[in-house]
Amino acid sequence: VSVPTGHSEKPVGWQVAMLRRWVPPDGQVLDLYAGWAPMARAARDQGVRYLGAEIDPTRHSEALTRLACLPVDSAVDYNRSTP
């Protein structure tokens, strides 16, 4: 997926690092500038609840497409005990 010139998408790895440092596993994230959803993808991978908003309809549509492509089991459930 190409990113329009003049906009920069942050790597999901950066978002994961921020989540691990600042958000507890049972926490939640409010992202008022969701863009192409890197924080949403990181939150999903880390098992953190996420609420995002994006005013640009193109970015919003692309974010929904990207999130829909992720398999449900890519999320980590920190509330589930490991055998």
Side-chain angles (χ1 to χ4, degrees), residues 27-31 33-34 37 39-41 43-44 48-53 67:
Q28 54 191 342
V29 172
L30 173 61
D31 184 1
Y33 304 96
M39 182 61 79
R41 291 180 290 170
R44 185 175 185 173
V48 174
R49 289 182 305 250
Y50 174 85
L51 177 62
L67 292 173

Side-chain angles (χ1 to χ4, degrees), residues 5-6 19 26 33 35 37 49 56-57 60 62 74 77 79:
T5 306
L19 287 174
D26 62 342
Y33 304 96
R49 289 182 305 250
D56 182 319
H60 178 259
E62 180 62 30
S74 71
D77 183 357
N79 297 316

Side-chain angles (χ1 to χ4, degrees), residues 32-79:
L32 298 177
Y33 304 96
W36 289 277
M39 182 61 79
R41 291 180 290 170
R44 185 175 185 173
D45 289 346
Q46 296 300 306
V48 174
R49 289 182 305 250
Y50 174 85
L51 177 62
E54 178 53 56
I55 195 169
D56 182 319
T58 302
R59 289 184 189 184
H60 178 259
S61 177
E62 180 62 30
L64 292 178
T65 300
R66 288 179 180 197
L67 292 173
C69 292
L70 294 176
V72 174
D73 16 328
S74 71
V76 176
D77 183 357
Y78 286 99
N79 297 316

